[in-house]
Amino acid sequence: MVWSAPLIHEKGVPLLDGDRPDTRLFCTGPRSMVRPHRATTSYLNALIVNLKRGVWLGTLASVMTIGWLASRRLMWRAAAAIALTATLVAPVRIRIIDSARDLFLPGNRYSIWSAAIDVVQRLPMGVGRRNGEILRDYPKVPSHHKHAHNSALQITLESGYLGLVTFLWRMGRFGALSWRLQRGLRAASGAPHALAVAISRASWGFHVAGLVEYTFGDNEVLEIFFVIMGLGLALERTTPHSG
């Protein structure tokens, strides 16, 4: 998930390239309890320090698509900032360089994905909720592991192909709804449009991160995602622009 605060000034002024009305995002109030720039700095520091490449991938997807939708100049500035961080911050650079090697290390993503696919092929109806420990039966999977490091694969492992179809249908419907909101509220600008963009892109980043992480496995993360979905449904019900 990515927070939209880096793009929004606390007093509602436009984005960096905000000369055009369609590139503006606004906060919902004249003052906020936490100054966005301070909160953003803390968030970015935490993002770098945790060294989780799946989180980086989801954040990159959200930030770059927000930049693409709001302002090409903003997108290139974000890309430059990301490139500088990846180049100058040694731990980040090392993690990125080692990504391909780590993928195929014994007990890492490739081993886990291969085991999960084998389980799905043998048990297409699924093994049941929270029964991912079955992966531990495979010699290359760590003994403490219990999920497939991929949201769609883990849901298929637990709930079978029927669960996967249901998951894709539900997420696809919400993705289409959030995209319609984002486009429908573009002319209105202001806070509703900012919220629609944040909902749509946060959902996108969440699922991109889910390509290499089981994003539905942590309750605190899942609760935030459900709040985002609830905001999207509430915004859809209260605005005529989404129809």
Side-chain angles (χ1 to χ4, degrees), residues 124-154:
M125 295 299 292
V127 298
R129 175 76 171 150
R130 297 188 181 279
N131 284 324
E133 291 89 349
I134 192 174
L135 295 174
R136 300 173 185 175
D137 295 341
Y138 291 79
K140 292 185 179 181
V141 176
S143 59
H144 63 277
H145 211 72
K146 58 182 179 181
H147 63 77
H149 269 303
N150 178 290
S151 294
L153 185 54
Q154 179 67 21

PDB file of all heavy atoms in Angstrom, residues 124-154:
ATOM      1  N   PRO A 124      -6.747 -29.933  -6.052  1.00  0.00           N
ATOM      2  CA  PRO A 124      -7.337 -28.760  -6.704  1.00  0.00           C
ATOM      3  C   PRO A 124      -8.492 -28.125  -5.942  1.00  0.00           C
ATOM      4  O   PRO A 124      -8.864 -26.985  -6.231  1.00  0.00           O
ATOM      5  CB  PRO A 124      -7.802 -29.303  -8.060  1.00  0.00           C
ATOM      6  CG  PRO A 124      -7.976 -30.772  -7.849  1.00  0.00           C
ATOM      7  CD  PRO A 124      -6.929 -31.156  -6.858  1.00  0.00           C
ATOM      8  N   MET A 125      -9.049 -28.823  -4.961  1.00  0.00           N
ATOM      9  CA  MET A 125     -10.120 -28.248  -4.142  1.00  0.00           C
ATOM     10  C   MET A 125      -9.559 -27.467  -2.955  1.00  0.00           C
ATOM     11  O   MET A 125     -10.309 -26.854  -2.195  1.00  0.00           O
ATOM     12  CB  MET A 125     -11.060 -29.345  -3.647  1.00  0.00           C
ATOM     13  CG  MET A 125     -11.811 -30.046  -4.754  1.00  0.00           C
ATOM     14  SD  MET A 125     -12.879 -28.916  -5.695  1.00  0.00           S
ATOM     15  CE  MET A 125     -14.091 -28.513  -4.444  1.00  0.00           C
ATOM     16  N   GLY A 126      -8.238 -27.492  -2.785  1.00  0.00           N
ATOM     17  CA  GLY A 126      -7.624 -26.745  -1.693  1.00  0.00           C
ATOM     18  C   GLY A 126      -7.413 -27.592  -0.454  1.00  0.00           C
ATOM     19  O   GLY A 126      -8.016 -28.663  -0.293  1.00  0.00           O
ATOM     20  N   VAL A 127      -6.549 -27.102   0.426  1.00  0.00           N
ATOM     21  CA  VAL A 127      -6.235 -27.831   1.660  1.00  0.00           C
ATOM     22  C   VAL A 127      -6.939 -27.235   2.878  1.00  0.00           C
ATOM     23  O   VAL A 127      -6.782 -27.743   3.993  1.00  0.00           O
ATOM     24  CB  VAL A 127      -4.712 -27.829   1.900  1.00  0.00           C
ATOM     25  CG1 VAL A 127      -4.001 -28.532   0.768  1.00  0.00           C
ATOM     26  CG2 VAL A 127      -4.164 -26.409   2.078  1.00  0.00           C
ATOM     27  N   GLY A 128      -7.695 -26.156   2.663  1.00  0.00           N
ATOM     28  CA  GLY A 128      -8.404 -25.547   3.780  1.00  0.00           C
ATOM     29  C   GLY A 128      -7.694 -24.310   4.317  1.00  0.00           C
ATOM     30  O   GLY A 128      -6.487 -24.142   4.169  1.00  0.00           O
ATOM     31  N   ARG A 129      -8.477 -23.477   4.950  1.00  0.00           N
ATOM     32  CA  ARG A 129      -7.978 -22.213   5.482  1.00  0.00           C
ATOM     33  C   ARG A 129      -6.889 -22.443   6.529  1.00  0.00           C
ATOM     34  O   ARG A 129      -7.022 -23.296   7.410  1.00  0.00           O
ATOM     35  CB  ARG A 129      -9.162 -21.457   6.105  1.00  0.00           C
ATOM     36  CG  ARG A 129      -8.822 -20.164   6.809  1.00  0.00           C
ATOM     37  CD  ARG A 129      -8.553 -19.067   5.851  1.00  0.00           C
ATOM     38  NE  ARG A 129      -8.440 -17.782   6.549  1.00  0.00           N
ATOM     39  CZ  ARG A 129      -7.680 -16.796   6.123  1.00  0.00           C
ATOM     40  NH1 ARG A 129      -6.974 -16.930   5.019  1.00  0.00           N
ATOM     41  NH2 ARG A 129      -7.637 -15.655   6.784  1.00  0.00           N
ATOM     42  N   ARG A 130      -5.799 -21.684   6.403  1.00  0.00           N
ATOM     43  CA  ARG A 130      -4.675 -21.708   7.342  1.00  0.00           C
ATOM     44  C   ARG A 130      -4.021 -23.089   7.470  1.00  0.00           C
ATOM     45  O   ARG A 130      -3.560 -23.477   8.540  1.00  0.00           O
ATOM     46  CB  ARG A 130      -5.108 -21.188   8.720  1.00  0.00           C
ATOM     47  CG  ARG A 130      -5.568 -19.736   8.717  1.00  0.00           C
ATOM     48  CD  ARG A 130      -5.797 -19.210  10.108  1.00  0.00           C
ATOM     49  NE  ARG A 130      -6.250 -17.831  10.099  1.00  0.00           N
ATOM     50  CZ  ARG A 130      -5.473 -16.758   9.970  1.00  0.00           C
ATOM     51  NH1 ARG A 130      -4.157 -16.927   9.829  1.00  0.00           N
ATOM     52  NH2 ARG A 130      -5.975 -15.537   9.977  1.00  0.00           N
ATOM     53  N   ASN A 131      -4.028 -23.817   6.382  1.00  0.00           N
ATOM     54  CA  ASN A 131      -3.346 -25.112   6.368  1.00  0.00           C
ATOM     55  C   ASN A 131      -2.115 -25.080   5.465  1.00  0.00           C
ATOM     56  O   ASN A 131      -1.701 -26.113   4.916  1.00  0.00           O
ATOM     57  CB  ASN A 131      -4.293 -26.227   5.913  1.00  0.00           C
ATOM     58  CG  ASN A 131      -5.264 -26.616   7.010  1.00  0.00           C
ATOM     59  OD1 ASN A 131      -4.908 -26.625   8.187  1.00  0.00           O
ATOM     60  ND2 ASN A 131      -6.491 -26.923   6.630  1.00  0.00           N
ATOM     61  N   GLY A 132      -1.525 -23.900   5.328  1.00  0.00           N
ATOM     62  CA  GLY A 132      -0.352 -23.769   4.475  1.00  0.00           C
ATOM     63  C   GLY A 132       0.865 -24.493   4.990  1.00  0.00           C
ATOM     64  O   GLY A 132       1.875 -24.618   4.275  1.00  0.00           O
ATOM     65  N   GLU A 133       0.796 -24.994   6.231  1.00  0.00           N
ATOM     66  CA  GLU A 133       1.929 -25.758   6.776  1.00  0.00           C
ATOM     67  C   GLU A 133       2.253 -26.996   5.942  1.00  0.00           C
ATOM     68  O   GLU A 133       3.328 -27.585   6.098  1.00  0.00           O
ATOM     69  CB  GLU A 133       1.638 -26.184   8.216  1.00  0.00           C
ATOM     70  CG  GLU A 133       1.611 -25.043   9.209  1.00  0.00           C
ATOM     71  CD  GLU A 133       0.229 -24.419   9.342  1.00  0.00           C
ATOM     72  OE1 GLU A 133      -0.660 -24.751   8.501  1.00  0.00           O
ATOM     73  OE2 GLU A 133       0.031 -23.607  10.256  1.00  0.00           O
ATOM     74  N   ILE A 134       1.328 -27.367   5.057  1.00  0.00           N
ATOM     75  CA  ILE A 134       1.590 -28.524   4.204  1.00  0.00           C
ATOM     76  C   ILE A 134       2.835 -28.311   3.349  1.00  0.00           C
ATOM     77  O   ILE A 134       3.497 -29.259   2.939  1.00  0.00           O
ATOM     78  CB  ILE A 134       0.358 -28.821   3.307  1.00  0.00           C
ATOM     79  CG1 ILE A 134       0.508 -30.187   2.637  1.00  0.00           C
ATOM     80  CG2 ILE A 134       0.160 -27.722   2.273  1.00  0.00           C
ATOM     81  CD1 ILE A 134      -0.735 -30.603   1.862  1.00  0.00           C
ATOM     82  N   LEU A 135       3.186 -27.053   3.109  1.00  0.00           N
ATOM     83  CA  LEU A 135       4.383 -26.748   2.323  1.00  0.00           C
ATOM     84  C   LEU A 135       5.654 -27.232   3.014  1.00  0.00           C
ATOM     85  O   LEU A 135       6.672 -27.470   2.362  1.00  0.00           O
ATOM     86  CB  LEU A 135       4.468 -25.239   2.071  1.00  0.00           C
ATOM     87  CG  LEU A 135       3.361 -24.630   1.205  1.00  0.00           C
ATOM     88  CD1 LEU A 135       3.498 -23.113   1.164  1.00  0.00           C
ATOM     89  CD2 LEU A 135       3.393 -25.200  -0.215  1.00  0.00           C
ATOM     90  N   ARG A 136       5.597 -27.376   4.334  1.00  0.00           N
ATOM     91  CA  ARG A 136       6.776 -27.812   5.080  1.00  0.00           C
ATOM     92  C   ARG A 136       7.153 -29.256   4.778  1.00  0.00           C
ATOM     93  O   ARG A 136       8.251 -29.706   5.132  1.00  0.00           O
ATOM     94  CB  ARG A 136       6.528 -27.661   6.583  1.00  0.00           C
ATOM     95  CG  ARG A 136       6.231 -26.227   7.014  1.00  0.00           C
ATOM     96  CD  ARG A 136       5.842 -26.171   8.469  1.00  0.00           C
ATOM     97  NE  ARG A 136       5.443 -24.834   8.871  1.00  0.00           N
ATOM     98  CZ  ARG A 136       4.950 -24.514  10.077  1.00  0.00           C
ATOM     99  NH1 ARG A 136       4.805 -25.477  10.989  1.00  0.00           N
ATOM    100  NH2 ARG A 136       4.606 -23.279  10.362  1.00  0.00           N
ATOM    101  N   ASP A 137       6.251 -29.994   4.134  1.00  0.00           N
ATOM    102  CA  ASP A 137       6.561 -31.377   3.776  1.00  0.00           C
ATOM    103  C   ASP A 137       7.591 -31.460   2.658  1.00  0.00           C
ATOM    104  O   ASP A 137       8.145 -32.538   2.413  1.00  0.00           O
ATOM    105  CB  ASP A 137       5.290 -32.111   3.335  1.00  0.00           C
ATOM    106  CG  ASP A 137       4.278 -32.252   4.468  1.00  0.00           C
ATOM    107  OD1 ASP A 137       4.694 -32.119   5.635  1.00  0.00           O
ATOM    108  OD2 ASP A 137       3.095 -32.491   4.182  1.00  0.00           O
ATOM    109  N   TYR A 138       7.819 -30.338   1.990  1.00  0.00           N
ATOM    110  CA  TYR A 138       8.775 -30.323   0.885  1.00  0.00           C
ATOM    111  C   TYR A 138      10.169 -29.984   1.415  1.00  0.00           C
ATOM    112  O   TYR A 138      10.334 -29.051   2.199  1.00  0.00           O
ATOM    113  CB  TYR A 138       8.334 -29.321  -0.182  1.00  0.00           C
ATOM    114  CG  TYR A 138       7.093 -29.761  -0.913  1.00  0.00           C
ATOM    115  CD1 TYR A 138       5.831 -29.600  -0.340  1.00  0.00           C
ATOM    116  CD2 TYR A 138       7.175 -30.361  -2.165  1.00  0.00           C
ATOM    117  CE1 TYR A 138       4.688 -30.020  -1.000  1.00  0.00           C
ATOM    118  CE2 TYR A 138       6.031 -30.785  -2.836  1.00  0.00           C
ATOM    119  CZ  TYR A 138       4.797 -30.613  -2.246  1.00  0.00           C
ATOM    120  OH  TYR A 138       3.662 -31.033  -2.899  1.00  0.00           O
ATOM    121  N   PRO A 139      11.184 -30.716   0.998  1.00  0.00           N
ATOM    122  CA  PRO A 139      12.505 -30.592   1.617  1.00  0.00           C
ATOM    123  C   PRO A 139      13.152 -29.225   1.478  1.00  0.00           C
ATOM    124  O   PRO A 139      13.912 -28.810   2.356  1.00  0.00           O
ATOM    125  CB  PRO A 139      13.339 -31.669   0.897  1.00  0.00           C
ATOM    126  CG  PRO A 139      12.607 -31.947  -0.373  1.00  0.00           C
ATOM    127  CD  PRO A 139      11.165 -31.747  -0.059  1.00  0.00           C
ATOM    128  N   LYS A 140      12.862 -28.479   0.417  1.00  0.00           N
ATOM    129  CA  LYS A 140      13.518 -27.195   0.203  1.00  0.00           C
ATOM    130  C   LYS A 140      12.770 -26.017   0.832  1.00  0.00           C
ATOM    131  O   LYS A 140      13.225 -24.880   0.767  1.00  0.00           O
ATOM    132  CB  LYS A 140      13.702 -26.939  -1.291  1.00  0.00           C
ATOM    133  CG  LYS A 140      14.704 -27.868  -1.955  1.00  0.00           C
ATOM    134  CD  LYS A 140      14.925 -27.495  -3.407  1.00  0.00           C
ATOM    135  CE  LYS A 140      15.954 -28.408  -4.059  1.00  0.00           C
ATOM    136  NZ  LYS A 140      16.197 -28.043  -5.482  1.00  0.00           N
ATOM    137  N   VAL A 141      11.611 -26.286   1.443  1.00  0.00           N
ATOM    138  CA  VAL A 141      10.826 -25.228   2.087  1.00  0.00           C
ATOM    139  C   VAL A 141      11.222 -25.159   3.559  1.00  0.00           C
ATOM    140  O   VAL A 141      11.274 -26.193   4.231  1.00  0.00           O
ATOM    141  CB  VAL A 141       9.314 -25.501   1.948  1.00  0.00           C
ATOM    142  CG1 VAL A 141       8.511 -24.456   2.712  1.00  0.00           C
ATOM    143  CG2 VAL A 141       8.925 -25.503   0.466  1.00  0.00           C
ATOM    144  N   PRO A 142      11.501 -23.961   4.085  1.00  0.00           N
ATOM    145  CA  PRO A 142      11.886 -23.832   5.502  1.00  0.00           C
ATOM    146  C   PRO A 142      10.845 -24.443   6.431  1.00  0.00           C
ATOM    147  O   PRO A 142       9.638 -24.382   6.174  1.00  0.00           O
ATOM    148  CB  PRO A 142      11.991 -22.314   5.695  1.00  0.00           C
ATOM    149  CG  PRO A 142      12.278 -21.772   4.335  1.00  0.00           C
ATOM    150  CD  PRO A 142      11.542 -22.659   3.379  1.00  0.00           C
ATOM    151  N   SER A 143      11.305 -25.025   7.514  1.00  0.00           N
ATOM    152  CA  SER A 143      10.427 -25.758   8.428  1.00  0.00           C
ATOM    153  C   SER A 143       9.417 -24.873   9.138  1.00  0.00           C
ATOM    154  O   SER A 143       8.412 -25.375   9.647  1.00  0.00           O
ATOM    155  CB  SER A 143      11.265 -26.503   9.472  1.00  0.00           C
ATOM    156  OG  SER A 143      12.056 -25.577  10.211  1.00  0.00           O
ATOM    157  N   HIS A 144       9.662 -23.572   9.188  1.00  0.00           N
ATOM    158  CA  HIS A 144       8.744 -22.662   9.874  1.00  0.00           C
ATOM    159  C   HIS A 144       7.751 -22.020   8.917  1.00  0.00           C
ATOM    160  O   HIS A 144       6.887 -21.250   9.348  1.00  0.00           O
ATOM    161  CB  HIS A 144       9.538 -21.553  10.572  1.00  0.00           C
ATOM    162  CG  HIS A 144      10.314 -20.682   9.626  1.00  0.00           C
ATOM    163  ND1 HIS A 144      11.548 -21.053   9.144  1.00  0.00           N
ATOM    164  CD2 HIS A 144      10.021 -19.494   9.054  1.00  0.00           C
ATOM    165  CE1 HIS A 144      11.995 -20.106   8.313  1.00  0.00           C
ATOM    166  NE2 HIS A 144      11.095 -19.154   8.239  1.00  0.00           N
ATOM    167  N   HIS A 145       7.848 -22.339   7.630  1.00  0.00           N
ATOM    168  CA  HIS A 145       7.075 -21.599   6.634  1.00  0.00           C
ATOM    169  C   HIS A 145       5.643 -22.124   6.547  1.00  0.00           C
ATOM    170  O   HIS A 145       5.383 -23.309   6.736  1.00  0.00           O
ATOM    171  CB  HIS A 145       7.751 -21.689   5.264  1.00  0.00           C
ATOM    172  CG  HIS A 145       7.518 -20.481   4.426  1.00  0.00           C
ATOM    173  ND1 HIS A 145       8.100 -19.269   4.679  1.00  0.00           N
ATOM    174  CD2 HIS A 145       6.718 -20.284   3.352  1.00  0.00           C
ATOM    175  CE1 HIS A 145       7.706 -18.386   3.785  1.00  0.00           C
ATOM    176  NE2 HIS A 145       6.857 -18.982   2.976  1.00  0.00           N
ATOM    177  N   LYS A 146       4.707 -21.218   6.187  1.00  0.00           N
ATOM    178  CA  LYS A 146       3.303 -21.628   6.126  1.00  0.00           C
ATOM    179  C   LYS A 146       2.485 -20.890   5.068  1.00  0.00           C
ATOM    180  O   LYS A 146       1.261 -20.918   5.097  1.00  0.00           O
ATOM    181  CB  LYS A 146       2.641 -21.448   7.494  1.00  0.00           C
ATOM    182  CG  LYS A 146       2.695 -20.029   8.047  1.00  0.00           C
ATOM    183  CD  LYS A 146       2.060 -19.972   9.427  1.00  0.00           C
ATOM    184  CE  LYS A 146       2.132 -18.567  10.016  1.00  0.00           C
ATOM    185  NZ  LYS A 146       1.538 -18.500  11.365  1.00  0.00           N
ATOM    186  N   HIS A 147       3.137 -20.217   4.138  1.00  0.00           N
ATOM    187  CA  HIS A 147       2.375 -19.595   3.041  1.00  0.00           C
ATOM    188  C   HIS A 147       3.229 -19.565   1.786  1.00  0.00           C
ATOM    189  O   HIS A 147       4.439 -19.803   1.823  1.00  0.00           O
ATOM    190  CB  HIS A 147       1.875 -18.197   3.415  1.00  0.00           C
ATOM    191  CG  HIS A 147       2.963 -17.202   3.677  1.00  0.00           C
ATOM    192  ND1 HIS A 147       3.684 -16.607   2.681  1.00  0.00           N
ATOM    193  CD2 HIS A 147       3.449 -16.689   4.832  1.00  0.00           C
ATOM    194  CE1 HIS A 147       4.561 -15.766   3.187  1.00  0.00           C
ATOM    195  NE2 HIS A 147       4.447 -15.797   4.502  1.00  0.00           N
ATOM    196  N   ALA A 148       2.584 -19.234   0.641  1.00  0.00           N
ATOM    197  CA  ALA A 148       3.204 -19.416  -0.668  1.00  0.00           C
ATOM    198  C   ALA A 148       3.911 -18.174  -1.199  1.00  0.00           C
ATOM    199  O   ALA A 148       4.385 -18.187  -2.332  1.00  0.00           O
ATOM    200  CB  ALA A 148       2.142 -19.864  -1.673  1.00  0.00           C
ATOM    201  N   HIS A 149       3.982 -17.110  -0.434  1.00  0.00           N
ATOM    202  CA  HIS A 149       4.643 -15.877  -0.878  1.00  0.00           C
ATOM    203  C   HIS A 149       4.069 -15.366  -2.196  1.00  0.00           C
ATOM    204  O   HIS A 149       4.794 -14.797  -3.019  1.00  0.00           O
ATOM    205  CB  HIS A 149       6.151 -16.070  -0.992  1.00  0.00           C
ATOM    206  CG  HIS A 149       6.899 -15.721   0.264  1.00  0.00           C
ATOM    207  ND1 HIS A 149       6.822 -14.482   0.853  1.00  0.00           N
ATOM    208  CD2 HIS A 149       7.729 -16.445   1.038  1.00  0.00           C
ATOM    209  CE1 HIS A 149       7.578 -14.461   1.933  1.00  0.00           C
ATOM    210  NE2 HIS A 149       8.131 -15.652   2.086  1.00  0.00           N
ATOM    211  N   ASN A 150       2.782 -15.573  -2.374  1.00  0.00           N
ATOM    212  CA  ASN A 150       2.054 -15.047  -3.527  1.00  0.00           C
ATOM    213  C   ASN A 150       0.572 -15.135  -3.167  1.00  0.00           C
ATOM    214  O   ASN A 150       0.084 -16.230  -2.839  1.00  0.00           O
ATOM    215  CB  ASN A 150       2.365 -15.857  -4.789  1.00  0.00           C
ATOM    216  CG  ASN A 150       1.595 -15.391  -6.000  1.00  0.00           C
ATOM    217  OD1 ASN A 150       0.378 -15.569  -6.101  1.00  0.00           O
ATOM    218  ND2 ASN A 150       2.303 -14.775  -6.935  1.00  0.00           N
ATOM    219  N   SER A 151      -0.120 -14.016  -3.221  1.00  0.00           N
ATOM    220  CA  SER A 151      -1.500 -13.985  -2.718  1.00  0.00           C
ATOM    221  C   SER A 151      -2.413 -14.931  -3.491  1.00  0.00           C
ATOM    222  O   SER A 151      -3.138 -15.731  -2.896  1.00  0.00           O
ATOM    223  CB  SER A 151      -2.045 -12.556  -2.782  1.00  0.00           C
ATOM    224  OG  SER A 151      -1.356 -11.710  -1.884  1.00  0.00           O
ATOM    225  N   ALA A 152      -2.398 -14.848  -4.813  1.00  0.00           N
ATOM    226  CA  ALA A 152      -3.292 -15.692  -5.615  1.00  0.00           C
ATOM    227  C   ALA A 152      -2.951 -17.163  -5.447  1.00  0.00           C
ATOM    228  O   ALA A 152      -3.845 -18.014  -5.355  1.00  0.00           O
ATOM    229  CB  ALA A 152      -3.209 -15.278  -7.085  1.00  0.00           C
ATOM    230  N   LEU A 153      -1.665 -17.474  -5.387  1.00  0.00           N
ATOM    231  CA  LEU A 153      -1.255 -18.873  -5.224  1.00  0.00           C
ATOM    232  C   LEU A 153      -1.640 -19.413  -3.856  1.00  0.00           C
ATOM    233  O   LEU A 153      -2.100 -20.561  -3.738  1.00  0.00           O
ATOM    234  CB  LEU A 153       0.257 -18.978  -5.438  1.00  0.00           C
ATOM    235  CG  LEU A 153       0.872 -20.382  -5.435  1.00  0.00           C
ATOM    236  CD1 LEU A 153       0.171 -21.288  -6.441  1.00  0.00           C
ATOM    237  CD2 LEU A 153       2.363 -20.306  -5.725  1.00  0.00           C
ATOM    238  N   GLN A 154      -1.501 -18.589  -2.820  1.00  0.00           N
ATOM    239  CA  GLN A 154      -1.878 -19.033  -1.485  1.00  0.00           C
ATOM    240  C   GLN A 154      -3.384 -19.251  -1.375  1.00  0.00           C
ATOM    241  O   GLN A 154      -3.833 -20.226  -0.752  1.00  0.00           O
ATOM    242  CB  GLN A 154      -1.431 -18.004  -0.441  1.00  0.00           C
ATOM    243  CG  GLN A 154      -1.797 -18.343   0.988  1.00  0.00           C
ATOM    244  CD  GLN A 154      -1.068 -19.561   1.525  1.00  0.00           C
ATOM    245  OE1 GLN A 154      -0.021 -19.935   0.993  1.00  0.00           O
ATOM    246  NE2 GLN A 154      -1.602 -20.174   2.570  1.00  0.00           N
TER     247      GLN A 154
END
